[in-house]
Amino acid sequence: MSTVTTKDGVEIFYKDWGKGQPIVFSHGWPLSADDWDAQLLFFLRKGYRVIAHDRRGHGRSSQVGDGHDMDHYADDLAAVTGQLELQNAIHVGHSTGGGEVVRYLARHGENRVTKAAIISAVPPLMMRTDANPGGLPKEVFDDFQAQLATNRSEFYRAVAAGPFYNYNRPGAKPSEAIIQNWWRQGMMGGAKAHYDGIVAFSQTDFTADLGKITIPVLVMHSEDDQIVPYADAGPLSAKLLKNGTLKTYKGFPHGMPTTQAETINADLLAFIES
């Protein structure tokens, strides 16, 4: 397996396929690089070099007990892009991965990157605070941690079969294969990484990070996202970015790169080639 070893000794697994301009994909919680299958194959066929890594503690990367915060996530991504000596790259992040991309650009600069896209992403801040009254109460995320600690397998099954793909909506037709693949990816990772990751994706404030980014960024978010509510995420991020464009969807789920891959891939391609 291809891995890069970080400064603190963590092995980060990555896939690196094809040649051409690189597109780097950062996955959501608690998944792995496998969640990008539909995008990796699509952009590979379009002549791009596609790269996707497993976040520390997730998938095939080291199941370490610490470093499960956005600074380490960004530094791990920088370790991958540095080892591969990427230039002129496009970064795409979904959900927690969107936060990872934003923190990476703000923390490590834009010299290797030309464009970015964040999909159903957690910035600017998910949790409700005095400065962010539209966020979700801390108790929501405390409950996530409690369910994970009690029965992680059952919790992951319920997330995938319900709000992640909007399979709990009237008239929805759940795909058992998609549900099982989400559960499989989640259970490959470490419980400690996923437990701490809930704090990382819910309590990290990306407001200042977004303001530092100057490259073009496409912000893709659905109004029916049940995991990262639209009003306190996509529109606010697009407004804080110096060169942000908001693309809004109706009725798509949080996991729209999987269930609505044809639309998402076409919109990403149009942005990349514009």
Side-chain angles (χ1 to χ4, degrees):
M1 295 198 303
S2 300
T3 61
V4 56
T5 302
T6 66
K7 290 177 181 176
D8 58 343
V10 179
E11 285 197 346
I12 302 295
F13 166 85
Y14 66 88
K15 306 175 187 184
D16 180 8
W17 303 339
K19 295 176 180 172
Q21 186 178 15
I23 308 177
V24 185
F25 295 89
S26 293
H27 65 77
W29 175 97
L31 304 170
S32 73
D34 295 354
D35 203 45
W36 290 111
D37 283 353
Q39 285 68 46
L40 298 181
L41 294 174
F42 174 83
F43 284 100
L44 187 64
R45 289 196 302 269
K46 295 294 180 181
Y48 290 90
R49 177 183 178 185
V50 294
I51 295 137
H53 67 290
D54 290 353
R55 188 169 298 121
R56 67 168 56 206
H58 295 61
R60 290 138 293 204
S61 292
S62 299
Q63 289 198 14
V64 290
D66 54 12
H68 307 296
D69 55 76
M70 283 294 166
D71 284 351
H72 279 89
Y73 296 167
D75 293 351
D76 294 348
L77 177 55
V80 174
T81 61
Q83 175 162 304
L84 298 179
E85 299 181 339
L86 300 183
Q87 298 294 337
N88 196 35
I90 296 138
H91 279 260
V92 180
H94 175 245
S95 194
T96 298
E100 178 180 287
V101 168
V102 167
R103 180 56 55 89
Y104 165 76
L105 291 170
R107 187 171 168 88
H108 293 275
E110 303 171 349
N111 60 317
R112 294 182 181 272
V113 188
T114 58
K115 290 182 178 179
I118 56 174
I119 307 171
S120 314
V122 298
L125 173 61
M126 280 195 73
M127 193 175 75
R128 181 182 299 164
T129 64
D130 291 343
N132 185 45
L136 294 169
K138 182 175 181 294
E139 290 74 23
V140 170
F141 306 107
D142 292 344
D143 182 58
F144 286 175
Q145 288 187 310
Q147 291 187 69
L148 188 154
T150 302
N151 189 332
R152 186 166 64 123
S153 178
E154 187 174 359
F155 175 47
Y156 286 0
R157 170 76 195 189
V159 172
F164 199 91
Y165 295 113
N166 286 1
Y167 287 155
N168 55 350
R169 293 295 194 220
K173 297 178 181 177
S175 163
E176 185 61 31
I178 287 175
I179 293 167
Q180 288 191 18
N181 190 42
W182 199 100
W183 179 90
R184 174 192 69 84
Q185 291 179 72
M187 295 306 292
M188 280 172 65
K192 179 64 160 59
H194 295 169
Y195 187 89
D196 292 353
I198 292 169
V199 173
F201 74 64
S202 66
Q203 295 188 27
T204 304
D205 189 342
F206 298 95
T207 302
D209 302 277
L210 290 161
K212 293 177 183 176
I213 298 170
T214 63
I215 60 168
V217 180
L218 179 64
V219 180
M220 309 168 78
H221 218 111
S222 172
E223 292 179 352
D224 198 28
D225 190 320
Q226 295 185 68
I227 304 296
V228 182
Y230 173 83
D232 201 54
L236 299 184
S237 287
K239 197 175 294 185
L240 287 163
L241 288 159
K242 290 183 170 69
N243 196 359
T245 301
L246 177 64
K247 178 76 176 177
T248 300
Y249 302 88
K250 294 184 182 297
F252 285 12
H254 182 70
M256 60 187 183
T258 297
T259 59
Q260 309 293 336
E262 188 174 342
T263 300
I264 298 304
N265 291 350
D267 290 347
L268 272 175
L269 182 65
F271 168 69
I272 288 168
E273 296 188 341
S274 65

